[in-house]
Amino acid sequence: MVYGGSEAAHLFRRKFSALFMMQFMLLFSRQGKLRLQKWYVPLSDKEKKKITRELVQTVLARKPKMCSFLEWRDLKIVYKRYASLYFCCAIEDQDNELITLEIIHRYVELLDKYFGSVCELDIIFNFEKAYFILDEFLLGGEAQETSKKNVLKAIEQADLLQENIDFQMRLFAGRQRCRDPSQRAGGNWTHINTFSIIVILLIITL
Amino acid sequence: MSPSVPLQEMIRAIRSARTQCEERGVIQRECAAIRAQFRQTDNGGRSHNLAKLLYVHMLGYPAHFGQMECVRMIASPRYSEKRVGYLGAMMLLDEKQDASLLITNSIKNDLSHSNQYVQSLALCTLACMGSAEMCRDLAPEIDRLLRSSNSYIKKKAALCAVHIVRKVHDLGELFVPSARSLLSEKNHGVLHGAVVLITELCERSPETLERFRKTVPDLVQIMKGLVISGYSPDHDVAGVSDPFLQVRILRLLRILGRNNEAASDAMNDLLAQVATNTDSTKTVGNAVLYETVLTVLDIKSESGLRVLAVNILGRFLLNNDRNIRYIAMTSLQKIVSTDHNAVQRHRGTIVDCLKDQDASVKRRALELSLALVSASNIRSMMKELLIFLSSCPPELRAQAASGIFNAAERYAPSKRWHIDTILHVLTTAGGDVRDETVPNLIQLITNTSELHCYTVHKLYRALLTDISQQPLVQVACWCIGEYGDLLLKGECQETEAVQVTEDDVLDALEIVLQSHMSTPTTRGFALTATMKLSTRITDNVDRIRSIVSIYGSCIDVELQQRAVEYNALFKKYDHMRAAVLERMPVIQKNSLGQTNGELSEEPMKESQPGKVKQEETALPPQPAGQVVDLLDLLGGSQEPLQPGSSVGGSASTQLTAAPTSAGGDLLDLLGGFEPTPLAPAPTVTVYEKNGVTLTLSCEQQSESGLTVTLTASNSTDSDISGFTLQAAVPKSVQLQMRAPSRDSLPAHGGAKLTQLVVLNNPNKVNLKMRIRVSYTCQGSVVQDMVQVDSFPGL
């Protein structure tokens, strides 16, 4: 157990005095490389870096058979290792550590279902998708959907939305027409541009 | 969803960099490209660019130039760009950045978007990084969404509302009605969000808590449904139906049932049901059981339920899973003061956890063990705790040591056991004990006069073994100094005696003095101890003299001062040395950390050498032998008068623990040596001869206490030197002479000499005083005596 310096201890008590709350979640490799960071409390970049560095060191120093919970500054840290990745959550003093372990497990299950037998490389190369999945499962640090199926369905739909150009055009036309003429013009401009270049080329060759 | 090729290529390029320098080069190039792309107008790859930047940011490189791009992307009509834009906003913009305010408008628009996934992006971002202003602006929108018919949006809006309430407490009022209606939803996600929202509202405001107490029956109903209902594939986790929701409901019930009999009654049955029906073989079942136990222990539950809860914790303690054991101990810690007996039953298991490999478990076990120590189990518990102390991780040492001291102080079965325990702790963890341990231990040792011999032998042995633990060395030096004669006698009833010579003892002290491991404080102890031994040993006084004189030129000011004063004691005041260095009196047992009298600022160990210093500077040059003479002088008189004693001499009567009435004076002794200022009291001239005048004035201090001030002056033509006063009083009166202001009287009344005499007359006998004056004038010694029968002002 390591008690960190008291410099940043006040950080967590500043604006947030909720009793039950996840403050942040970190994913990092066994070499200490950060793979995902989700912060639910407002901290400066420098503070975040400092906390990450210290916490990563602390967790990596733990031996394999040790307890999944540790007290760090005035927070409780719940961590679990899945293959080569450490999943680490910081929760408040009054929170239930065991259910946080379940939350971590649920997130891993979602990643696994989505990527199909997920491994660290999936999360490295598709980090933005890992975030999207997390954001569909947790909102503001709390679980928003307790059914695995529903979370996966929502992500699927959102992905389809991204892919579906028709849908986009409908979106594009529906709401944004009045508001962003430059954008629309820009969009059309590319089509017109290509067409006009072809015409000009034709004229030149002829 | 197809992967972003540009992004993946960049990631591959960065990962293939072999050195940090190479990586930085790649990243700089990429960032330059990204910046250039940002400046261009719309192209298809905007989202890829921002994603690249976010990756670079995660690696730890600066990415603030992407903030405006995030703002632009959020405003884009394309969903893919919005998605990455909002992600960027959550990563790069927090409420501290000014740019975060710029997205408020976009969020507002997106909250009313026709597509729920766009709405969800906005809700997610607001709940993650919404500042107080943004929350205030958008709260009405969120409230509207709470009432929409779309469950997907409702559940997100509920959690967004939670964030708003956390940021701006007053806005809680706004959400109360919608929160209430959400409880009747069937959708688990919405229900979960509603319960979290209600929990947050109740925590923030007691009035809201009162209002929501009425929902307890509804919550109980929902919970029953979850527990009893059959298998529901959507929400089942290892046999437990929607554990996340169950835990949340239990938590809300806890808050509602706290300090409220009616609410607690309503949930009793349910809690019993959950406690008995939940499968505890998997972690998820244990999570629910844990929350149930916390709730039961916090509300006003009936005793049967409490017993059930503690039993569950007991079962947890025996679980193979270390996490569960840790949880159990955390909870037991919370109830150890209220349900002490119930927790005592599990003492064995808890003590076993002291030997666990995990430091977190050890810490918990230590705290709980210390809380469970009582008079009946002190011996066995202390054994375990001392074993733990010898092998515990360094960060727990200080806590363990102080815990052991407290326990030993409260429940020590015998003095010897107490001293042994403290010595054991000092040998194993001497470096981690608090500062006041040393004076406390010294106080304990002086109070246990029957064990002085035992203690000094034990400490001497400890000193020989190891001089690195400073508190132990300090106490050992002090004891050797005080009880060196007992050590040299070489016999002891309690333990095997050490056969030492005087040289051995002095060697040991000298080693401490010279060792580089000794702190200046320890050296001070050792020097004083060496000095004290000069009166307790017979042969090697010269050796002590030489040691002391060496330190007269020590660099450390404290040591130098001591050495110089001890030197003076050897040279000028040798006749007083025996009296000054007598055994210490029994120290009055005050509360921890305090010292007697006005020396409350300095720790005890400083005050002891301090006393010695002050004694020798303050004492008049009174030959010690004079006390005997006075007795002879007074031998023939009718009233047996008690001889006046010098300051050092009164200390010698305190050798045994038999409290004499002079103990009261002792407190005055430790209180300081400054003579109290002369009160304008009536004075009477008691002696006048040969130009020397002695006046007396007295002042009643308390019912039996009296301060007499003697003032001497010289009206002759020649100086008087070596002026001393001695006083004798009736037997039942206690007398104490303070230091005189000076010991010479210049001619023609140049200066006056004042001396204070403190009397204590508890039996209220007729007060008389015999004063003996002696001085040297013009080379001849003059001695005279006068008796005072009546005191002015009495």
Side-chain angles (χ1 to χ4, degrees), chain B residues 269-451:
Chain B
D269 288 336
L270 169 73
L271 292 171
Q273 202 165 29
V274 176
T276 38
N277 284 357
T278 312
D279 177 21
S280 59
T281 47
K282 296 274 175 67
T283 310
V284 65
N286 285 328
V288 176
L289 278 175
Y290 177 48
E291 197 70 37
T292 317
V293 165
L294 288 179
T295 303
V296 166
L297 294 174
D298 216 7
I299 63 171
K300 291 199 180 296
S301 49
E302 53 181 38
S303 56
L305 198 53
R306 275 188 101 83
V307 169
L308 184 61
V310 179
N311 285 346
I312 292 178
L313 287 179
R315 261 198 347 253
F316 277 2
L317 269 182
L318 299 166
N319 197 308
N320 283 331
D321 189 345
R322 200 175 260 120
N323 294 338
I324 311 279
R325 284 208 296 271
Y326 176 88
I327 295 289
M329 284 199 279
T330 317
S331 322
L332 285 172
Q333 182 78 37
K334 293 192 194 134
I335 59 164
V336 74
S337 42
T338 45
D339 298 78
H340 192 92
N341 293 328
V343 185
Q344 279 282 4
R345 252 180 272 136
H346 303 287
R347 199 179 70 238
T349 328
I350 294 169
V351 167
D352 280 335
C353 287
L354 279 173
K355 305 187 189 88
D356 199 297
Q357 299 284 346
D358 187 330
S360 331
V361 174
K362 272 199 178 124
R363 177 184 293 274
R364 287 268 161 258
L366 173 67
E367 283 170 7
L368 209 45
S369 305
L370 288 173
L372 287 177
V373 172
S374 73
S376 47
N377 59 30
I378 178 73
R379 280 192 195 263
S380 50
M381 285 296 277
M382 194 51 78
K383 229 183 291 179
E384 295 288 341
L385 286 170
L386 287 175
I387 294 172
F388 172 73
L389 188 66
S390 44
S391 60
C392 83
E395 58 267 7
L396 290 178
R397 274 230 186 94
Q399 192 182 356
S402 63
I404 289 174
F405 282 150
N406 285 339
E409 175 135 350
R410 288 225 299 266
Y411 303 113
S414 76
K415 292 266 185 177
R416 176 170 162 174
W417 181 93
H418 195 176
I419 291 181
D420 279 339
T421 310
I422 298 187
L423 289 182
H424 194 136
V425 174
L426 285 181
T427 32
T428 32
D432 298 295
V433 298
R434 284 205 310 262
D435 289 334
E436 56 249 27
T437 316
V438 172
N440 285 346
L441 179 56
I442 289 178
Q443 195 179 63
L444 180 65
I445 291 176
T446 45
N447 282 339
T448 329
S449 45
E450 63 271 16
L451 290 175

Side-chain angles (χ1 to χ4, degrees), chain A residues 29-176:
Chain A
S29 72
R30 270 195 293 182
Q31 286 76 38
K33 287 223 154 206
L34 200 60
R35 298 297 175 209
L36 187 144
Q37 52 173 339
K38 189 78 188 180
W39 298 83
Y40 295 109
V41 287
L43 292 167
S44 75
D45 250 357
K46 205 171 83 166
E47 289 163 341
K48 284 183 193 165
K49 281 211 181 92
K50 184 169 200 285
I51 292 165
T52 309
R53 201 177 33 236
E54 279 188 37
L55 198 54
V56 166
Q57 260 180 334
T58 311
V59 172
L60 287 178
R62 304 269 290 178
K63 298 197 203 65
K65 288 274 186 223
M66 284 176 126
C67 186
S68 279
F69 315 127
L70 62 100
E71 273 145 40
W72 183 80
R73 303 210 183 142
D74 56 352
L75 288 176
K76 289 206 262 210
I77 306 291
V78 179
Y79 75 94
K80 194 150 171 155
R81 199 181 119 214
Y82 288 88
S84 57
L85 267 184
Y86 281 91
F87 286 70
C88 192
C89 284
I91 56 175
E92 290 273 347
D93 201 49
Q94 303 280 334
D95 251 330
N96 183 332
E97 296 97 321
L98 294 175
I99 207 76
T100 312
L101 271 179
E102 287 302 311
I103 288 184
I104 292 177
H105 191 74
R106 175 58 66 90
Y107 181 48
V108 173
E109 282 179 333
L110 289 168
L111 287 171
D112 195 48
K113 241 344 192 336
Y114 182 84
F115 286 108
S117 219
V118 69
C119 65
E120 192 185 342
L121 280 176
D122 288 321
I123 300 185
I124 295 171
F125 281 95
N126 300 287
F127 74 96
E128 80 275 22
K129 283 173 213 144
Y131 274 103
F132 296 150
I133 296 170
L134 185 63
D135 286 336
E136 206 53 55
F137 173 44
L138 298 178
L139 197 87
E142 306 281 353
Q144 54 179 290
E145 180 57 66
T146 53
S147 152
K148 221 188 317 185
K149 198 178 71 176
N150 289 349
V151 177
L152 289 166
K153 207 163 54 166
I155 298 173
E156 209 182 286
Q157 293 292 330
D159 285 347
L160 275 175
L161 186 60
Q162 196 166 326
E163 300 285 312
N164 201 330
I165 302 176
D166 295 313
F167 215 170
Q168 275 188 2
M169 293 305 259
R170 243 181 290 149
L171 261 184
F172 181 86
R175 279 257 152 191
Q176 314 299 321

Side-chain angles (χ1 to χ4, degrees), chain B residues 89-108:
Chain B
M90 286 191 272
M91 283 177 80
L92 300 178
L93 297 171
D94 53 41
E95 60 180 49
K96 292 179 194 300
Q97 314 288 345
D98 300 325
S100 63
L101 287 174
L102 296 172
I103 64 173
T104 314
N105 212 30
S106 302
I107 294 182
K108 194 179 207 155

Side-chain angles (χ1 to χ4, degrees), chain A residues 12-13 15-24 39-42 75-76 89-96 100 103 139-142, chain B residues 127-128 162-163 166-167 196 200 203-204 248 251:
Chain A
F12 297 108
R13 285 275 157 241
K15 283 193 179 184
F16 275 67
S17 55
L19 282 185
F20 311 114
M21 193 187 149
M22 186 186 295
Q23 300 241 349
F24 56 83
W39 298 83
Y40 295 109
V41 287
L75 288 176
K76 289 206 262 210
C89 284
I91 56 175
E92 290 273 347
D93 201 49
Q94 303 280 334
D95 251 330
N96 183 332
T100 312
I103 288 184
L139 197 87
E142 306 281 353
Chain B
C128 180
V162 170
H163 176 89
R166 282 181 185 154
K167 276 295 197 186
V196 176
E200 193 65 36
E203 268 173 50
R204 297 282 163 200
R248 275 312 195 169
R251 210 175 275 174

